[in-house]
Amino acid sequence: MLGFAFLYATVTVAWNLVALSGLISLGHAAYFGLGAYAAALLDRHVGAQAPVTLAAAGLCAAAYGLVVAVAFQRLRAASYALATLASVEIPKVIADNWNSFTLGSLGLVGTRPLPAFSVAGMELDLAHNITAQYYGLMALLALACILHALAIHSRWGWALRAVREDERAAAVLGVNVFATRLGATVLSAALTGLCGGLYAHLMGMTEPALVFNLHISAMPLVFAMLGGRFRWYGPVLGALVLYGADQLFLHPWLPAGHAAIYGLVIMVMLLFLPKGLGS
């Protein structure tokens, strides 16, 4: 449970890179699903090793993020959110209907697990050792947190804040608004795609309805709002608290309606803690 909490926390950190620029995305399931399918398809049809499949996962998602950033550059607020939500359907429909390549709605089964490797003389078997998977995903989250902290406190982070607060004023001060948001979107998409590739290897199966699920798009929004979007640790705090509570308590008690709690969390946070738990 904690391993996947780290994975979804990384997706939340990636999502918040775009949110820091003032854009709310509802389409990160597209990047996650593309990353998962890139890794699974390379494993199935080419027999590529995990480093290659994971690199391809990040690159495919980044390429789609580039398309989204260019295509939707004039959209803001609700229009941008709805456009990104619609963008999930394009790769999902392709994966669902290209039977000869993706096996359609049946999905890809049997994706090889992650390999074992050594770090400082210590053997990490990511295929069979749950503890190794736990530490591997924790390391990924730590790297994402470092990136997130730099995005908040660096010069680029200040550019993101300036664009979020007032685009015209930021442009007058010399900030390239389009390039700033383009960089945030592509970086966010690449990191989310990497998480999708890891998911494909960890689960061993990839289905359109599973990896292009809109729940994956809504989940980072809820986690980030719960933890606090303007602190480097906020998205991680929200993901660990809510995902842990969901898996340990809400899902066992409300197997059919536990997802409704996510909507309740948004309402409560907007009314009483708009800056999140970490603020």
Side-chain angles (χ1 to χ4, degrees), residues 39-266:
L41 287 170
L42 277 175
D43 178 81
R44 177 181 178 85
H45 295 297
V46 182
Q49 298 299 314
V52 176
T53 63
L54 294 178
L59 288 173
C60 286
Y64 197 64
L66 177 64
V67 172
V68 167
V70 173
F72 303 152
Q73 61 180 298
R74 297 185 182 277
L75 300 181
R76 300 292 183 270
S79 298
Y80 180 85
L82 290 174
T84 56
L85 180 64
S87 70
V88 179
E89 292 302 311
I90 298 173
K92 180 181 179 181
V93 168
I94 293 174
D96 218 356
N97 291 277
W98 197 353
N99 295 321
S100 61
F101 187 54
T102 66
L103 301 187
S105 58
L106 294 176
L108 297 166
V109 181
T111 302
R112 288 178 295 177
L114 295 170
F117 63 95
S118 298
V119 176
M122 181 174 62
E123 185 77 13
L124 292 177
D125 185 1
L126 298 177
H128 306 100
N129 191 327
I130 299 298
T131 304
Q133 292 180 12
Y134 169 86
Y135 285 115
L137 293 171
M138 180 188 288
L140 174 66
L141 177 57
L143 291 174
C145 287
I146 293 172
L147 180 64
H148 191 232
L150 291 174
I152 292 177
H153 300 295
S154 66
R155 183 175 181 177
W156 179 55
W158 284 106
L160 288 172
R161 294 187 189 189
V163 168
R164 181 183 72 238
E165 297 298 329
D166 192 324
E167 290 184 26
R168 291 185 179 180
V172 169
L173 292 173
V175 176
N176 189 323
V177 175
F178 172 68
T180 300
R181 282 183 164 149
L182 175 69
T185 301
V186 171
L187 181 60
S188 175
L191 188 54
T192 305
L194 174 61
C195 291
L198 286 170
Y199 180 89
H201 282 288
L202 291 172
M203 296 297 292
M205 58 178 293
T206 307
E207 298 177 5
L210 191 63
V211 296
F212 291 109
N213 194 315
L214 295 182
H215 179 71
I216 297 175
S217 289
M219 183 173 57
L221 169 64
V222 179
F223 290 165
M225 289 186 65
L226 176 64
R229 295 194 297 117
F230 306 117
R231 294 288 186 271
W232 70 265
Y233 55 84
V236 178
L237 176 64
L240 296 182
V241 169
L242 188 54
Y243 184 79
D246 181 50
Q247 295 299 305
L248 291 175
F249 305 108
L250 302 179
H251 193 277
W253 293 348
L254 295 171
H258 69 105
I261 303 298
Y262 286 59
L264 180 62
V265 167
I266 292 179

